[in-house]
């Protein structure tokens, strides 16, 4: 990962800088305009803009007595290219997983008849215990029976 990309990702990790970045996506703005929309002071906005500028995500130009800030298309393109690669890899992995034959958990084990018999007899025993006590546990496919009145 190149240094500018890492710096850009790090810079956007801060909520205030991300908010500034998102506002600048609408077009150039001066520091006082940005500060008016954020819960931080003008000097704090200036510091955040300096970090974004050092990361290659923002440029500035003088407009009379004001300095206008805007997104740097090259920095944004660098971020976008990175996320395009990540997205393509994720989609490729998803497609490979979707095309792969399903592997059932019990298909992995080559179990003998003993193990299979134990499970069956365990289920049968459980059903028999429920019958002996006059209760339906709900595990044998029948709904549980409730005694007393219940509002439905």
């Amino acid at each position: 990962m190149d240094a500018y990309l890492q710096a850009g990702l790090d810079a956007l990790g801060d909520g205030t800088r991300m908010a500034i970045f998102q506002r600048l996506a609408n077009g150039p703005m001066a520091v006082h305009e940005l500060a008016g929309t954020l819960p931080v002071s003008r000097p704090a906005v200036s510091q955040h803009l300096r970090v974004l500028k050092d990361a290659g995500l923002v440029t500035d130009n003088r407009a009379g007595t004001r300095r206008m800030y805007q997104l740097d298309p090259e920095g944004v393109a660098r971020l976008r290219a990175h996320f395009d690669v990540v997205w393509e890899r994720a989609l490729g992995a998803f497609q490979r997983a979707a095309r792969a034959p399903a592997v059932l958990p019990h298909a992995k084990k080559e179990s003998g008849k003993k193990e299979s018999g134990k499970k069956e007899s365990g289920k049968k025993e459980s059903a028999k215990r429920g019958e002996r006590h006059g209760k339906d546990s709900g595990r044998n496919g029948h709904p549980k029976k409730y005694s007393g009145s219940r509002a439905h």
Side-chain angles (χ1 to χ4, degrees):
M1 185 176 299
D2 73 38
Y4 272 115
L5 174 61
Q6 187 62 53
L9 294 171
D10 289 344
L12 293 176
D14 178 85
T16 302
R17 285 193 288 270
M18 178 59 94
I20 292 170
F21 183 84
Q22 289 173 334
R23 282 170 177 76
L24 291 176
N26 296 322
M29 294 178 79
V31 174
H32 76 276
E33 293 171 316
L34 287 164
T37 66
L38 297 166
V40 294
S41 67
R42 285 173 64 176
V45 170
S46 293
Q47 289 175 345
H48 286 296
L49 284 165
R50 188 172 314 119
V51 172
L52 289 167
K53 186 176 176 182
D54 290 346
L57 298 176
V58 170
T59 61
D60 63 328
N61 296 311
R62 277 226 175 265
T65 58
R66 300 186 318 168
R67 186 166 294 281
M68 299 298 290
Y69 289 87
Q70 65 186 24
L71 294 184
D72 184 342
E74 289 179 29
V76 173
R78 197 171 25 252
L79 284 175
R80 176 145 188 202
H82 169 71
F83 285 112
D84 284 346
V85 168
V86 170
W87 182 248
E88 290 299 319
R89 286 180 186 163
L91 282 178
F94 178 75
Q95 287 173 341
R96 285 188 299 278
R99 289 181 186 143
V103 178
L104 302 174
H106 67 279
K108 286 183 178 180
K109 293 181 183 177
E110 287 298 321
S111 58
K113 290 183 181 180
K114 263 187 182 178
E115 198 174 321
S116 173
K118 281 183 182 177
K119 288 181 183 175
E120 280 301 312
S121 69
K123 286 181 183 177
K124 289 178 185 175
E125 283 299 315
S126 174
K128 285 180 186 176
R129 279 194 302 266
E131 289 172 11
R132 265 188 262 146
H133 297 289
K135 296 178 183 175
D136 184 353
S137 67
R139 294 183 185 166
N140 60 2
H142 300 289
K144 258 190 164 176
K145 295 177 184 174
Y146 296 97
S147 60
S149 64
R150 281 187 74 165
H152 290 280

